[in-house]
Amino acid sequence: MESTVQAVTVVIPCYNDGAFIMDALNSILRQTVLPERIIIIDDGSGAETMSVLKSIKNNIVEVVYQTNQGVCTARNNGIGKATSSYILTLDADDIFEPTFIEKAKHILDSDMKVGVVCCHYKEFGNSSKNKDIIKPKGKITQDFLVKNNGVASALFRKKCWEEVNGYDVNFDKGYEDWDFWLSVLSQGWEMRIIQEPLFNYRKKIHSRDTMALAQFDKELKMKIFLKHKKVYESSIDVFAQQMILRNTMLVTNLNKTKEGLEFQLGKIILKPIRIIKRLLFPSNE
């Protein structure tokens, strides 16, 4: 049973993110509705990050240290320590805008069909800020068949985590949040998206996400498909439609890119010919 007052616990896994962890933590401490508790799980960080974590002095912040076991185990250990009804996940290098908890909590308080609340977000980092707003759709299981339509950092009911036995540690190479959302939504829950960019995702040149996409994308997608095969089988028509649409979009974009490259190549080849023509026949210009 959920308590009468739906409190929030924030769980922040941290692995060698000493340079960013205070930004993440302060983004929670600046929330218009504060959480009951913030649990930072240090996943075997080095001395520099350990020094930063040991300097944190706040009554609602608890730092837990573990040997390096990966983000799934870190999140599970943090959530397991929480006594609140709601869990907010946040990576140690990302940032929430001040009103996220207030707005997300209101949705969970108001609609028992909703198990998870995410939001639109922006990317930043690498010495530049991306002004584009990324808009995941959320909703139900069928919206997660060909891509992750949620965000790893989200507010959700602890009972959702309990129902699916937490994050699957077999997704140690990535896409664990996509797998987690599919597991949760397949239990009948819905994901609601706040139509505002209340989250900021730090883009790094070298990160677990970029490595997952570059090196393990096919392997991880097959693992998701095989684990959730019954979900895909029960939604085979929708899955086929989405794959056809996705393939058409990829072919269209590829053709546009090819045409653009051919046009640019043509300009490069013709440029010296035009220069020579101007030199030889200036009166024709």
Side-chain angles (χ1 to χ4, degrees):
M1 293 291 292
E2 294 187 355
S3 59
T4 304
V5 177
Q6 313 295 6
V8 175
T9 297
V10 182
V11 175
I12 308 177
C14 180
Y15 177 65
N16 289 334
D17 270 320
F20 310 121
I21 182 62
M22 294 309 298
D23 290 339
L25 177 59
N26 287 329
S27 80
I28 299 300
L29 295 175
R30 288 194 293 264
Q31 292 291 306
T32 54
V33 171
L34 287 175
E36 174 186 73
R37 193 177 177 196
I38 302 170
I39 302 175
I40 300 173
I41 305 291
D42 179 70
D43 191 31
S45 296
E48 182 179 343
T49 295
M50 292 278 281
S51 176
V52 174
L53 294 176
K54 289 182 182 298
S55 72
I56 297 173
K57 307 295 180 186
N58 191 293
N59 291 335
I60 68 170
V61 180
E62 176 184 2
V63 182
V64 178
Y65 300 94
Q66 66 177 37
T67 57
N68 182 250
Q69 299 173 65
V71 67
C72 295
T73 299
R75 284 187 187 139
N76 286 337
N77 287 345
I79 296 169
K81 291 179 176 293
T83 57
S84 61
S85 300
Y86 297 159
I87 303 296
L88 177 64
T89 50
L90 175 63
D91 287 341
D93 52 352
D94 297 330
I95 299 169
F96 273 116
E97 295 295 329
T99 59
F100 178 79
I101 290 182
E102 178 182 359
K103 292 177 178 178
K105 185 177 181 299
H106 175 72
I107 293 172
L108 290 186
D109 288 342
S110 304
D111 193 339
M112 288 302 299
K113 298 190 303 297
V114 179
V116 186
V117 181
C118 300
C119 63
H120 293 171
Y121 66 97
K122 293 182 179 180
E123 295 178 344
F124 73 105
N126 298 334
S127 301
S128 64
K129 188 162 185 177
N130 191 336
K131 296 182 180 180
D132 292 338
I133 298 175
I134 295 105
K135 302 177 180 180
K137 291 172 60 177
K139 298 183 181 178
I140 61 176
T141 309
Q142 291 182 339
D143 297 290
F144 286 74
L145 298 177
V146 299
K147 70 173 184 176
N148 185 0
N149 250 315
V151 187
S153 296
L155 185 71
F156 55 88
R157 302 180 193 275
K158 187 178 180 183
K159 65 163 60 175
C160 293
W161 175 82
E162 292 170 340
E163 287 176 357
V164 302
N165 297 313
Y167 288 88
D168 189 341
V169 297
N170 290 310
F171 285 85
D172 57 325
K173 294 178 182 176
Y175 295 6
E176 77 289 337
D177 51 317
W178 184 3
D179 166 68
F180 183 64
W181 300 141
L182 264 174
S183 297
V184 168
L185 298 178
S186 65
Q187 299 298 310
W189 295 101
E190 298 177 10
M191 178 187 288
R192 186 74 55 81
I193 302 292
I194 299 173
Q195 308 291 306
E196 300 176 59
L198 300 180
F199 177 66
N200 298 284
Y201 173 77
R202 190 184 301 271
K203 288 283 286 186
K204 297 177 180 175
I205 297 175
H206 302 291
S207 71
R208 185 167 173 272
D209 288 343
T210 56
M211 185 173 293
L213 181 62
Q215 298 184 21
F216 308 115
D217 183 67
K218 180 181 176 182
E219 174 188 339
L220 292 171
K221 284 179 177 175
M222 281 302 301
K223 187 180 289 189
I224 284 176
F225 174 75
L226 293 173
K227 178 179 175 179
H228 302 280
K229 195 170 182 179
K230 289 183 179 179
V231 173
Y232 283 90
E233 289 175 343
S234 65
S235 305
I236 188 62
D237 290 344
V238 175
F239 180 49
Q241 291 170 10
Q242 291 180 0
M243 288 300 294
I244 291 169
L245 176 61
R246 192 173 183 85
N247 183 66
T248 301
M249 292 173 63
L250 287 171
V251 170
T252 301
N253 290 335
L254 182 63
N255 287 336
K256 286 181 179 178
T257 301
K258 182 180 178 182
E259 291 170 0
L261 289 173
E262 288 176 348
F263 178 73
Q264 292 299 325
L265 182 59
K267 286 177 64 177
I268 293 171
I269 293 172
L270 291 173
K271 185 175 181 179
I273 297 174
R274 292 193 182 104
I275 293 173
I276 293 171
K277 182 181 177 184
R278 290 194 193 101
L279 292 173
L280 294 176
F281 308 104
S283 60
N284 292 336
E285 293 295 320

